[in-house]
């Protein structure tokens, strides 16, 4: 505001602003572990949680409460981990690691060229991973012998997440979802609305349908992976980066957009639904914490991620 007198002289401009921020006095989540480096992904293989992260970090836990560091033999950042039966694969950089003992020991598999791998999925006969080469060209790599040899193909874009469900590989990328039945031939099935362009970060199947989530509260659902419906969530100011399902409840979580965090603005980091996204309930983990991945197992949700103010890795669980 400013003042103007009778001869139209103006006073100096004065301004003010206020922000309504979320203030939670309690949380249903418990801090279980802090580690020096960020954690990027976690999976439940039926008997153990396996978490991976920066600098080749691998941690395992039978219950999500007590965690043990494992020797990965890798120094590159591990961005993704996937399990099928006893076979567990972790990828990052051009590194591919395999474990058959619930993440306790790891073997390095032949590298599929100089490709920075950021997502991986496994089924009974294939290992499929997506990333990009030194020229920043997106690639998909496929192995039909559990990582001993690889086929390298061009891909649409760098992938942020990759899942295998209902005999279909489904990947999230910048502004789109792509699907494949064999890992070789892919089709775009979702492109963001023009007013919501941005990264889609996470994909999950809740037993009935696929959900994908991304920047600024973006959520879509699909029963078949081809036809998508935009879902309204309570706020557009959470970037969804992780998801988990316990058989009846779907959780989506992440962190506030970077500009908001830099200004010290924190909000609820997640929402849950039990009716396919028709209604949502808020949950709060920790101010300044960004959930990068979640999994359900042994009766609890586990979230791994990063404390944005210290760049430490962190693990939280429900009771």
């Amino acid at each position: 505001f400013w003042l103007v007198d009778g001869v139209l002289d103006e006073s100096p401009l004065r301004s003010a602003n206020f922000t309504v921020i979320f203030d939670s006095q309690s949380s249903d989540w418990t801090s279980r572990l802090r580690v020096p480096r960020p954690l990027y992904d976690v999976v439940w293989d039926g008997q153990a949680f396996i978490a991976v992260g920066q600098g080749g970090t691998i941690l395992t836990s039978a219950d999500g409460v007590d965690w043990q560091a494992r020797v990965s033999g890798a120094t590159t950042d591990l961005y993704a981990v996937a399990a099928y039966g006893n076979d567990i694969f972790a990828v990052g950089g051009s590194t591919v690691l395999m474990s058959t003992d619930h993440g306790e020991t790891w073997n390095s598999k032949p590298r599929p060229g100089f490709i920075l791998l950021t997502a991986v999925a496994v089924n009974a006969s294939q290992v499929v991973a997506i990333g990009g080469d030194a020229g920043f060209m997106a690639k998909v790599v496929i192995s039909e012998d559990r990582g001993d040899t690889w086929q390298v193909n061009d891909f649409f874009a760098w992938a942020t997440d990759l899942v295998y469900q209902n005999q279909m590989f489904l990947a999230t990328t910048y502004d789109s979802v792509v699907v494949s039945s064999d890992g070789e031939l892919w089709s775009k099935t979702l492109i963001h609305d023009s007013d919501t362009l941005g990264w889609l970060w996470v994909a999950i199947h809740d037993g009935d349908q696929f959900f994908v989530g991304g920047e600024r509260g973006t959520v879509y659902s699909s029963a078949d992976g081809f036809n998508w419906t935009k879902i309204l969530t309570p706020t557009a100011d959470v970037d969804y980066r992780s998801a988990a399902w316990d058989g009846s409840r779907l959780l989506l979580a992440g962190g506030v957009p970077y500009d908001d965090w830099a200004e010290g603005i924190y909000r609820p980091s997640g929402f849950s639904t039990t009716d396919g996204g028709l209604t949502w309930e808020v949950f709060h983990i920790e101010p300044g914490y960004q959930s990068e991945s979640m999994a359900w197992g042994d009766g609890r949700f586990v979230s791994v991620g990063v404390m944005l103010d210290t760049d430490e890795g962190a693990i939280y669980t429900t009771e």
Side-chain angles (χ1 to χ4, degrees):
F1 64 92
W2 64 95
L3 300 177
V4 181
D5 64 17
V7 295
L8 301 183
D9 289 332
E10 298 180 357
S11 70
L13 177 68
R14 298 289 185 243
S15 64
N17 62 68
F18 72 92
T19 303
V20 178
I21 60 176
F22 178 78
D23 182 17
S24 175
Q25 300 301 316
S26 63
S27 172
D28 293 331
W29 295 74
T30 300
S31 176
R32 300 299 185 181
L33 185 68
R34 294 286 180 88
V35 293
R37 295 174 174 179
L39 299 172
Y40 298 130
D41 202 9
V42 63
V43 69
W44 169 257
D45 74 346
Q47 295 191 41
F49 293 99
I50 301 96
V52 300
Q54 195 176 88
T57 299
I58 296 181
L59 304 163
T60 66
S61 173
D63 57 9
V65 176
D66 299 311
W67 292 82
Q68 184 171 351
R70 302 298 183 178
V71 177
S72 69
T75 57
T76 58
D77 297 345
L78 298 174
Y79 292 109
V81 60
Y84 186 90
N86 291 327
D87 295 340
I88 306 164
F89 285 85
V91 302
S94 56
T95 297
V96 178
L97 303 177
M98 181 181 182
S99 173
T100 57
D101 56 7
H102 312 294
E104 293 186 17
T105 60
W106 295 84
N107 295 314
S108 179
K109 306 300 286 187
R111 298 180 178 184
F114 294 98
I115 299 174
L116 173 61
L117 298 172
T118 56
V120 64
V122 189
N123 62 22
S125 60
Q126 292 177 302
V127 182
V128 176
I130 302 174
D133 63 17
F136 298 99
M137 300 299 294
K139 302 290 182 180
V140 56
V141 299
I142 307 162
S143 175
E144 296 183 351
D145 53 13
R146 281 324 197 223
D148 291 333
T149 59
W150 296 91
Q151 173 186 335
V152 180
N153 296 335
D154 292 335
F155 195 65
F156 289 97
W158 289 52
T160 50
D161 201 7
L162 177 63
V163 297
Y164 181 81
Q165 188 71 36
N166 291 0
Q167 300 182 333
M168 177 189 299
F169 292 98
L170 185 148
T172 53
T173 71
Y174 182 80
D175 85 6
S176 61
V177 171
V178 291
V179 301
S180 173
S181 61
D182 60 7
E184 296 186 32
L185 299 176
W186 295 80
S187 301
K188 282 189 179 183
T189 63
L190 167 65
I191 299 178
H192 259 324
D193 295 336
S194 60
D195 62 341
T196 55
L197 288 175
W199 284 101
L200 293 169
W201 290 108
V202 62
I204 191 171
H205 195 276
D206 74 348
D208 292 319
Q209 58 186 331
F210 291 99
F211 286 84
V212 297
E215 293 182 350
R216 294 289 181 179
T218 298
V219 178
Y220 292 90
S221 67
S222 173
D224 58 9
F226 290 90
N227 301 286
W228 294 87
T229 301
K230 193 171 185 178
I231 301 295
L232 181 64
T233 57
T235 178
D237 293 327
V238 173
D239 290 347
Y240 297 118
R241 306 175 69 94
S242 64
W245 181 63
D246 68 358
S248 61
R249 184 164 58 129
L250 173 70
L251 269 59
L252 289 169
V256 301
Y258 175 79
D259 291 344
D260 290 348
W261 166 78
E263 294 178 5
I265 301 171
Y266 304 114
R267 296 184 182 86
S269 55
F271 296 89
S272 66
T273 179
T274 57
D275 55 16
L278 296 176
T279 60
W280 297 86
E281 294 184 359
V282 63
F283 65 88
H284 172 67
I285 299 178
E286 183 76 23
Y289 170 71
Q290 180 167 283
S291 177
E292 295 285 348
S293 180
M294 288 193 295
W296 164 264
D298 196 47
R300 59 170 47 91
F301 289 101
V302 170
S303 171
V304 305
V306 58
M307 304 303 300
L308 296 176
D309 55 348
T310 64
D311 209 34
E312 292 177 293
I315 298 177
Y316 287 85
T317 76
T318 53
E319 292 297 336

